[in-house]
Amino acid sequence: MLPSDAVPDAASPVRCAIYTRKSDSEGLAQEFNSLDAQRECAEAYIQSQRTQGWTVLSQHYDDGGFSGGNLDRPALQRLLADIEAGHIDCVVIYKVDRLSRSLFDFARLMQIFDRRGVSFVSVTQQFNSSTPMGRLTLHILLSFAQFEREIISERTRDKIAAARRKGKWMGGYLMLGYDPDASRTGLMMNEAEAEQVRGVFKAFLQHKLLIPTLEEIHNRGWRMKSWSTRQGQHHAGQAFNRYALVRLLSSVVYVGEVKHKGKVYPGEQPAIVDRQVWNRAQQLLQSQPRRSEGRQRNRQGALLQDLLVCAGCGKVMVAGYTTKKGRRYPYYVCRTAQKRGARACPGRLVAGWRMEGSVVKALYQVAGQPGREPLQQTLPVDATAWEALDREEQHRILATVVERIPYDRRLQQGRVRLRPEMAGKGDVEVPLRAGKEPLVQQTPPEQTEERAAEVVGGRLPRITKLMALAVRFEELLRRGTAKDYADLARLGGVSRARITQVMNLRNLAPVLQEQILWLPQDHSEKSKLNERALRRISGTMDWREQITQFEQLYAGKVPNRMR
């Protein structure tokens, strides 16, 4: 766009945002890189138009290491957000393909620009985008940019396919047992890791099942491959899970081959596992019982699918069933325990009918409270009407009302977290009882909030006041007084990081939150039970472990009635 077209009124100021992009991250660590060069050129152009009222915004919109084939770029998203907010009048770029190499994406950007009245300028390609001829020129340029991108992608795919046919390693995640050679185009054996790989195959052939093999791997302390990037960033090996174990056992790399597009070719790397051992492992893998993983169809009609979460490890609890004397008994099981064995997470199984009935009962009890109109309007009139619905409709209603349900099977306790729009004037979280013993939080939520209001202004221990602040902050968020932690930080005159530290206290077990709110006034700030200790305890997912750590710091045990 020409300067005269972009700014018809010389007296009006034009706020210019400069956007820069580089497809790869190579050279970005240099003192002066490609992004700096693009910005310097754009700044010089804007400076030449200062008589027209053009000014450079101080914000930087730099995307280093991001492809122009899509719009999933952090700096571009910030730029679009500022455009929607009305903070930008003109976008200046070095070249059109820096903004996008996709005609479809560029058309979407043009719609946003036009809707907000924002013009854009390409420093090296001047054209008037307000005329039909200018738009045609722009689309021709973008067509060539997209064509160039597709040709580069095709050449890269052909190169990888040709190298694979020759048995070469073409990068990617390293497999356990191998390291890249000096040229980084081949693999050489890592003897220590190779022994571990042989040990994994031996354990699988001995146990003949995946879960017992995983337990032996965890007992021996074996982990997946640790590796470092070319920039020196280290990535420690993670613990094995079911997927990782199957991937290792089925990989043809360990018998000296490579696989590409479903075809197997002889590889250049040395074999780690004997062919006969590998073949026996494949036969055992084919005979393994099939398990449905991920978000698949809810074939069993589980009401709490994708809602129930293990409080011990934070993973989703998936539905299953067992059959005894011709009768099905549904249950929910922690995905970590399902994939890595019971030792990885003690959450294990919980009866399906008991859990589902407890959640529905808790929701109806809460719906009967004053100020719960959204919940009352969404749920059926009563339990009888609920039972008359089919399972699919019941699941749909629960997914509309409930955000998630963290549950600890060992403590038989949990919380139903309602969606904010369903909470009404009450608390977002509802205590859940799904066992034979009473759960934590004997004090009603409204009394907890009243106690928090009393504490904030009183002379009480510092950690009691911090706990009360966390309760009050959550209440502000629920009522909409504050939208997020940033709003709380502005209201409180502190940093957002400090708000996060205080709000993390709400991750403590409800019984511990009550205990802290009711600490005696003579509690010493020099005791072991201080803010730092509480922040460390709140980082533990297991509520039982939290209670144990709390009792070690605080004189006396947590009362049994509050467990």
Side-chain angles (χ1 to χ4, degrees):
M1 179 177 293
L2 295 173
S4 58
D5 297 315
V7 189
D9 184 3
S12 61
V14 180
R15 298 164 297 178
C16 300
I18 299 175
Y19 176 76
T20 63
R21 182 183 66 81
K22 189 176 186 297
S23 297
D24 55 66
S25 56
E26 184 177 354
L28 291 181
Q30 298 176 1
E31 184 176 353
F32 187 82
N33 54 47
S34 173
L35 299 180
D36 298 324
Q38 293 177 44
R39 184 171 182 84
E40 185 178 84
C41 184
E43 287 178 342
Y45 185 87
I46 295 172
Q47 181 67 17
S48 68
Q49 307 300 321
R50 63 184 183 277
T51 57
Q52 304 292 328
W54 291 34
T55 58
V56 180
L57 295 178
S58 59
Q59 291 86 346
H60 282 230
Y61 303 95
D62 305 323
D63 276 323
F66 290 91
S67 168
N70 56 64
L71 302 182
D72 189 16
R73 292 171 259 161
L76 179 61
Q77 294 302 318
R78 287 193 292 108
L79 176 70
L80 295 178
D82 288 346
I83 288 175
E84 293 289 355
H87 299 156
I88 297 173
D89 300 318
C90 179
V91 176
V92 181
I93 53 178
Y94 175 73
K95 201 174 183 180
V96 171
D97 63 359
R98 297 301 86 190
L99 189 63
S100 176
R101 284 180 178 266
S102 167
L103 279 173
F104 178 75
D105 290 339
F106 185 80
R108 291 170 56 190
L109 293 175
M110 284 294 297
Q111 290 178 357
I112 297 174
F113 287 6
D114 291 344
R115 185 175 70 250
R116 305 303 300 183
V118 174
S119 59
F120 74 94
V121 170
S122 172
V123 174
T124 60
Q125 303 159 321
Q126 291 194 14
F127 48 82
N128 187 348
S129 62
S130 63
T131 65
M133 182 59 68
R135 288 184 179 274
L136 175 62
T137 304
L138 178 60
H139 280 273
I140 291 175
L141 290 172
L142 283 169
S143 297
F144 277 103
Q146 181 169 336
F147 173 73
E148 181 185 6
R149 174 175 171 269
E150 291 174 354
I151 289 296
I152 292 173
S153 299
E154 185 177 356
R155 287 202 302 262
T156 302
R157 288 193 297 268
D158 291 344
K159 177 183 176 182
I160 293 175
R164 283 293 190 181
R165 288 194 293 270
K166 294 182 179 181
K168 294 184 178 294
W169 177 69
M170 292 302 296
Y173 288 108
L174 286 168
M175 297 293 292
L176 186 68
Y178 293 102
D179 290 327
D181 59 17
S183 64
R184 302 189 74 88
T185 59
L187 296 175
M188 59 183 183
M189 188 184 300
N190 182 318
E191 292 295 341
E193 293 180 357
E195 282 300 318
Q196 182 176 325
V197 171
R198 297 187 189 102
V200 171
F201 274 87
K202 182 179 179 181
F204 181 59
L205 296 182
Q206 177 183 351
H207 295 291
K208 296 182 173 57
L209 290 172
L210 292 172
I211 294 301
T213 304
L214 279 173
E215 292 182 352
E216 181 172 338
I217 290 173
H218 295 153
N219 290 338
R220 294 192 180 189
W222 291 344
R223 303 178 73 84
M224 292 189 288
K225 180 76 176 181
S226 297
W227 53 282
S228 299
T229 64
R230 293 184 179 182
Q231 290 74 30
Q233 184 178 1
H234 182 69
H235 295 264
Q238 302 297 312
F240 272 92
N241 55 35
R242 184 185 176 94
Y243 288 137
L245 179 57
V246 171
R247 187 167 59 248
L248 185 149
L249 293 171
S250 59
S251 175
V252 298
V253 172
Y254 293 120
V255 288
E257 297 175 342
V258 295
K259 191 173 184 179
H260 182 67
K261 300 289 185 180
K263 296 182 179 181
V264 178
Y265 306 97
E268 295 181 343
Q269 77 279 6
I272 292 178
V273 179
D274 182 74
R275 170 68 69 174
Q276 293 182 350
V277 173
W278 190 84
N279 287 339
R280 288 172 57 194
Q282 304 318 299
Q283 294 173 1
L284 287 175
L285 282 175
Q286 292 297 325
S287 63
Q288 294 297 301
R290 300 293 179 183
R291 292 191 178 190
S292 59
E293 300 282 355
R295 289 193 172 205
Q296 299 183 357
R297 289 180 295 174
N298 192 358
R299 297 176 179 176
Q300 301 175 28
L303 298 187
L304 305 182
Q305 170 126 341
D306 302 326
L307 299 176
L308 192 61
V309 179
C310 176
C313 65
K315 298 295 184 181
V316 173
M317 297 185 74
V318 295
Y321 67 89
T322 184
T323 305
K324 185 176 181 181
K325 295 182 179 180
R327 183 178 178 183
R328 280 190 177 187
Y329 294 88
Y331 61 78
Y332 292 92
V333 59
C334 171
R335 179 166 289 173
T336 301
Q338 182 190 51
K339 293 165 60 177
R340 295 166 50 189
R343 295 186 181 180
C345 179
R348 291 182 282 182
L349 304 178
V350 57
W353 62 269
R354 176 180 294 171
M355 175 58 66
E356 293 172 357
S358 299
V359 170
V360 174
K361 181 180 179 181
L363 289 177
Y364 271 99
Q365 288 177 346
V366 173
Q369 300 173 356
R372 296 289 192 173
E373 287 78 10
L375 191 58
Q376 295 169 3
Q377 295 170 3
T378 305
L379 292 175
V381 178
D382 52 26
T384 303
W386 172 267
E387 293 296 335
L389 300 175
D390 58 41
R391 301 279 289 183
E392 184 178 352
E393 180 64 15
Q394 290 177 346
H395 177 265
R396 188 195 65 77
I397 293 175
L398 287 179
T400 304
V401 170
V402 178
E403 186 175 283
R404 64 188 178 96
I405 308 171
Y407 181 74
D408 191 322
R409 175 188 176 275
R410 297 167 305 154
L411 298 179
Q412 297 182 344
Q413 64 185 20
R415 289 184 173 188
V416 179
R417 184 171 185 83
L418 303 175
R419 295 188 180 277
E421 62 272 18
M422 291 292 168
K425 298 181 180 179
D427 199 352
V428 175
E429 291 190 346
V430 180
L432 175 66
R433 176 179 301 175
K436 297 179 181 179
E437 300 297 329
L439 294 182
V440 297
Q441 186 137 8
Q442 300 296 319
T443 306
E446 58 271 15
Q447 294 186 18
T448 302
E449 295 175 5
E450 292 175 3
R451 174 61 176 170
E454 296 173 1
V455 166
V456 171
R459 292 188 176 183
L460 288 171
R462 185 169 181 269
I463 57 175
T464 300
K465 291 188 174 184
L466 288 174
M467 188 71 252
L469 278 175
V471 175
R472 294 293 298 277
F473 285 162
E474 187 170 273
E475 180 70 9
L476 291 176
L477 290 172
R478 184 183 63 79
R479 293 179 177 177
T481 306
K483 294 187 301 183
D484 50 26
Y485 284 9
D487 272 1
L488 289 174
R490 284 191 290 270
L491 289 173
V494 295
S495 67
R496 189 184 184 282
R498 182 55 178 160
I499 294 294
T500 302
Q501 290 177 347
V502 174
M503 291 300 293
N504 281 345
L505 295 179
R506 291 292 277 171
N507 294 331
L508 292 169
V511 60
L512 298 184
Q513 296 184 34
E514 292 180 17
Q515 189 84 342
I516 294 168
L517 283 173
W518 294 91
L519 282 177
Q521 294 188 10
D522 58 356
H523 175 76
S524 174
E525 297 298 328
K526 297 181 180 180
S527 70
K528 295 181 180 179
L529 186 61
N530 50 38
E531 180 187 355
R532 179 174 295 181
L534 289 179
R535 279 163 38 194
R536 184 179 65 252
I537 294 173
S538 67
T540 303
M541 294 296 297
D542 187 345
W543 283 352
R544 184 183 292 276
E545 180 62 25
Q546 288 185 5
I547 293 173
T548 301
Q549 294 180 22
F550 186 91
E551 289 176 341
Q552 292 173 352
L553 295 175
Y554 186 57
K557 292 184 175 295
V558 176
N560 289 331
R561 70 176 182 85
M562 299 177 68
R563 281 182 180 275

